[in-house]
Amino acid sequence: MNKTTDIDYGPLSELIGIWSGDKGIDIAPEADGEENNPYYETITFAAIGDVRNAETQLLAALHYRQIVQRKSNDKIFHDETGYWMWDAKESTIMHSLTIPRGVSLLAGGTYAESNDIDGKKVLLVSASMDDKNWNIVQSPFMQNSAKTKSFTHQITVGKGELSYKETMEIDIYGKQFTHTDSNDLLRQ
Ligand code: HEM
């Protein structure tokens, strides 16, 4: 693995840095309905270099850490980490994430410059239980009681601004729940 600053991180290069935002809206499942949690957060993306797989595929990777706090009591209620990877040859973005509920996933998507909005990069990835390439791994408890069936995540980033929306379809409390999170952040 090389760790140099002249690596081509492609559209991911816009992410590198420390971001914070206080416009977060979380819609999460509850036994008798849903909870709506306004939040603020800090996300740190660090360029960590490139990786070669099977002497062929070249990935440029960022590591990130996302710390999310409820506005109502300042407590951290979501802590997430993982990697964003860029495969320039295939114009493919990969996003791996782990949350301490016993859930991990690898989402993927194709990047096309033609989808950029107002000079900002649009990064769109998804994973699903039914997808043979981009899939979700979860503990036996979560498979039985709070199964994440699919995940989509769209980030729009550029000009010092980052906005995202993510959607998780979850089987919980005997029904399907659409768990969503979104926020607008500024580069620090
Ligand atoms: C900003 C990001 C996120 C926030 C703020 C957030 C917040 C929450 C909250 C408040 C709950 C309800 C917990 C409870 O009732 O005790 C929840 C449940 C859940 N979340 Fe998230 N979440 C986020 C992202 C994710 C992601 C990325 C995944 C999976 C890919 C995920 C999967 C789940 C699952 C499976 C549950 C059901 C567990 C339960 O309610 O008992 N969440 N989340």
Side-chain angles (χ1 to χ4, degrees):
M1 180 186 274
N2 296 314
K3 190 174 178 182
T4 61
T5 44
D6 50 27
I7 287 169
D8 172 20
Y9 293 96
L12 304 185
S13 58
E14 294 284 351
L15 295 172
I16 298 165
I18 301 172
W19 301 83
S20 59
D22 63 1
K23 311 266 185 306
I25 298 171
D26 168 66
I27 312 285
E30 261 192 347
D32 54 359
E34 64 180 42
E35 52 180 276
N36 184 329
N37 303 294
Y39 66 83
Y40 60 95
E41 67 182 321
T42 301
I43 311 178
T44 306
F45 293 91
I48 59 158
D50 57 14
V51 182
R52 195 170 284 282
N53 285 327
E55 298 181 6
T56 314
Q57 184 188 51
L58 185 66
L59 303 178
L62 309 185
H63 175 256
Y64 77 98
R65 180 86 189 275
Q66 179 181 17
I67 305 283
V68 185
Q69 289 168 268
R70 261 198 188 94
K71 280 190 184 173
S72 58
N73 59 11
D74 295 322
K75 290 227 167 88
I76 295 173
F77 74 124
H78 184 81
D79 184 327
E80 183 183 311
T81 192
Y83 297 92
W84 284 81
M85 293 147 275
W86 168 240
D87 179 342
K89 196 164 156 240
E90 302 293 334
S91 297
T92 296
I93 297 172
M94 297 185 224
H95 172 207
S96 66
L97 74 80
T98 299
I99 55 171
R101 292 183 182 279
V103 179
S104 300
L105 61 81
L106 180 64
T110 303
Y111 170 75
E113 208 172 332
S114 55
N115 294 333
D116 289 358
I117 299 171
D118 296 337
K120 294 182 180 178
K121 308 284 180 213
V122 177
L123 314 175
L124 177 60
V125 292
S126 61
S128 160
M129 273 178 49
D130 304 323
D131 192 310
K132 70 177 167 54
N133 296 318
W134 313 114
N135 217 303
I136 302 163
V137 183
Q138 44 207 323
S139 69
F141 179 87
M142 295 305 270
Q143 295 207 38
N144 290 326
S145 305
K147 185 190 283 180
T148 303
K149 297 178 75 178
S150 66
F151 168 84
T152 61
H153 189 182
Q154 177 165 318
I155 296 183
T156 306
V157 62
K159 302 177 182 171
E161 297 173 345
L162 184 163
S163 298
Y164 72 83
K165 168 136 194 201
E166 53 188 4
T167 303
M168 288 67 69
E169 294 296 343
I170 298 174
D171 256 357
I172 187 168
Y173 308 128
K175 51 184 189 274
Q176 177 150 323
F177 186 89
T178 304
H179 174 23
T180 59
D181 290 279
S182 60
N183 202 358
D184 299 322
L185 300 93
L186 296 174
R187 186 191 292 286
Q188 297 309 289

